[in-house]
Amino acid sequence: MNPKNHQKQAIQNFLKVNPLSLKTLQDQVIVITGASSGIGLVTARMAASQGAKIVAAARNESALKELVNELQDKGQEAIWVKADVGREEEVRNIAETAIKKFGMFDTWVNNAGVAVFGHAINVSIKDMKRMFATNFWGVVYGSKEAVKHFKERKEPGALINIGSFYGDRGAVVQSSYAASKFAVHGWTESLRMELEKEKAPVSVTLIHPGRIDTPYNEHAHSYLNKQPAHGGMIYPPEAVAEAILYAAENPKRDLYIGSQAKVMELIGTLLPRTTDKLMELWLYRSQRADRPSKPREESALYDAGYGLHERGTNYGWKRARSLYVKASKHPIISRIAVVGVGTLAWALIKRKE
C-alpha cells in the first residue's frame, strides 16, 4: 500500500466510531430524575406515550404518585421513587427499585436541577453547596449507577445528562448555576472519553438547552428584588424531551436545544469580550419579570417545589418547537445548519475587524 494511503487509512480507523445499538423506546425502561415538573415531567409523559416503561424520580412524592396514576390509567407502565438526587444513597435506591421492578433499565436521564439567581458575591456558600449537591453531585451519582448497571448487564444503554447553554458560557446573576453546569459538562465529556476508550457499552449524551419555558424560574432560589423569569426567545420543554428521547434511541455526543444555544457557544468562543459586553447589557433585564421576587423560603432549593406543572411564568417569544433539534436528527440537514451558524459567526468577526 502507498505510504500516504496507509497513513490515511490509519487516521480513518482511529477516527472511526462504531455506534452502539440502542433499543427502540417501546422496548425500553427509562429512569428520569426531576420527573415531577418541567422537562422531566414532559419527557416522562412523552416516553410513556411511545411505549417506554417509566421510573419517575423526584422529591415531590404526591406529584409523582399523581403522575404514575395518570400514566397507568392510560395503560402505560410506570413506577415512582421519591428521591433527593443530592443524596447518593437515594440515587442508588432509584436504580435498585428500577431493577427490582423491571429487571433492568436501558436509559438514565439526569435531569433534576435547581437554580439560584443572585450576584456571585451575594450568594451564600451554604446555598451554593446545596445547589451543587443537586445539579452536579446528582449527575455524578446517577452516572455511576447507570454505568455500573450497563457494564454488569453487558448490553448497551444510554446515559443522558442535562446541561445548559450556561454550561458553555458564564452568565451574570446565575453565576452559581452556570458553575454547576460547567462542572456537569466537564464531568460528562471526561466520562464519555474514558468509557469510549475502554469500549464500555454506554452511550453518553450531553443536552444543551437554551431558555426553556418550565417552572425553573418559580422554583429558583432568588436574591433579586424582581422575580426571576426568562425573556427573549424561549423554547418549549417538548423540544428538550424530543432531544432526550432521540438520544435514548440514537447515540449522540451533544444535542443543542435551539440555535440560540449553539450560537451562544460559538460566539462566546470566537468573540469572548464582545459576548461579555452583550450579556452584561442583555441578561440583567431579560432574566426577571416586572413583579416582586418570591421569598427564598418558598424556593425548591432545600425542599420540593410544586409539581405537575410543565411550564413556568416566563415571558417573551415562546417558540412552538426547536427547528435546530429537528435538524440535529437528520445529519445532512444538521451539517447545513452548522455551516449556516458558522457563516453567521464569521460575519460577526469580520464586522468587528
Side-chain angles (χ1 to χ4, degrees):
M1 179 184 289
N2 183 296
K4 288 186 177 180
N5 291 336
H6 180 76
Q7 184 181 33
K8 181 179 180 181
Q9 185 63 49
I11 293 172
Q12 288 175 340
N13 289 337
F14 176 74
L15 294 175
K16 186 178 180 181
V17 176
N18 295 314
L20 298 167
S21 179
L22 302 174
K23 296 179 182 178
T24 59
L25 286 178
Q26 64 182 10
D27 297 320
Q28 286 202 31
V29 176
I30 300 181
V31 176
I32 305 170
T33 68
S36 63
S37 70
I39 292 169
L41 175 61
V42 173
T43 304
R45 285 170 168 161
M46 189 179 293
S49 71
Q50 295 182 46
K53 300 177 179 65
I54 305 301
V55 180
R59 291 176 297 171
N60 190 325
E61 184 175 347
S62 62
L64 289 175
K65 288 180 178 179
E66 191 170 340
L67 169 62
V68 168
N69 288 337
E70 169 198 319
L71 299 180
Q72 290 177 344
D73 287 344
K74 296 177 181 177
Q76 299 158 355
E77 291 191 67
I79 61 171
W80 59 270
V81 184
K82 181 182 179 181
D84 180 341
V85 298
R87 301 178 184 276
E88 185 176 9
E89 65 277 11
E90 295 190 22
V91 175
R92 186 177 302 117
N93 183 53
I94 299 172
E96 291 173 349
T97 302
I99 294 169
K100 182 178 179 180
K101 172 64 177 179
F102 297 114
M104 62 180 181
F105 56 85
D106 304 285
T107 293
W108 184 293
V109 183
N110 282 313
N111 166 72
V114 66
V116 174
F117 282 74
H119 288 99
I121 299 303
N122 295 338
V123 178
S124 74
I125 297 299
K126 177 185 176 184
D127 289 347
M128 287 185 184
K129 287 183 175 180
R130 175 57 203 174
M131 189 195 60
F132 262 79
T134 299
N135 292 10
F136 175 66
W137 286 108
V139 170
V140 172
Y141 301 147
S143 298
K144 284 178 172 285
E145 291 299 327
V147 171
K148 175 186 174 184
H149 178 63
F150 298 147
K151 283 185 175 182
E152 289 177 348
R153 200 179 66 169
K154 297 181 180 179
E155 290 184 28
L159 170 63
I160 302 172
N161 292 340
I162 310 303
S164 168
F165 75 149
Y166 289 151
D168 296 316
R169 219 317 167 165
V172 300
V173 183
Q174 291 197 67
S175 53
S176 301
Y177 177 80
S180 73
K181 291 300 185 178
F182 264 80
V184 167
H185 289 207
W187 162 262
T188 304
E189 291 183 355
S190 302
L191 176 63
R192 181 193 293 114
M193 289 187 290
E194 292 174 357
L195 293 172
E196 184 174 63
K197 179 66 175 177
E198 65 180 87
K199 295 181 171 56
V202 188
S203 169
V204 181
T205 300
L206 179 63
I207 305 290
H208 304 246
R211 287 181 162 181
I212 310 299
D213 187 17
T214 70
Y216 166 95
N217 63 310
E218 290 293 323
H219 290 168
H221 201 68
S222 175
Y223 284 73
L224 307 179
N225 293 325
K226 297 292 187 179
Q227 174 63 26
H230 290 324
M233 187 183 296
I234 310 169
Y235 293 90
E238 286 82 1
V240 189
E242 180 182 0
I244 290 170
L245 298 185
Y246 180 74
E249 293 184 308
N250 304 274
K252 292 287 290 185
R253 185 183 190 278
D254 298 273
L255 282 168
Y256 292 81
I257 314 305
S259 56
Q260 168 194 89
K262 188 63 178 178
V263 168
M264 285 300 299
E265 183 200 33
L266 284 174
I267 295 178
T269 300
L270 297 171
L271 300 168
R273 284 297 293 137
T274 300
T275 306
D276 287 347
K277 293 298 183 181
L278 288 173
M279 295 184 84
E280 288 167 19
L281 288 171
W282 175 56
L283 286 186
Y284 278 104
R285 63 173 179 265
S286 69
Q287 294 189 97
R288 62 175 187 251
D290 189 21
R291 65 180 189 277
S293 182
K294 293 173 62 175
R296 288 201 287 274
E297 56 269 21
E298 294 181 15
S299 80
L301 184 60
Y302 293 95
D303 299 298
Y306 62 83
L308 295 181
H309 284 242
E310 294 183 349
R311 286 168 168 73
T313 56
N314 300 293
Y315 65 98
W317 179 22
K318 297 184 179 181
R319 302 291 302 277
R321 64 186 65 83
S322 167
L323 296 178
Y324 198 88
V325 170
K326 302 288 186 186
S328 298
K329 293 163 66 175
H330 303 282
I332 295 177
I333 298 176
S334 182
R335 290 191 188 101
I336 293 172
V338 170
V339 170
V341 170
T343 301
L344 172 62
W346 178 252
L348 289 171
I349 292 174
K350 297 303 289 182
R351 175 179 289 186
K352 184 182 179 184
E353 292 175 349

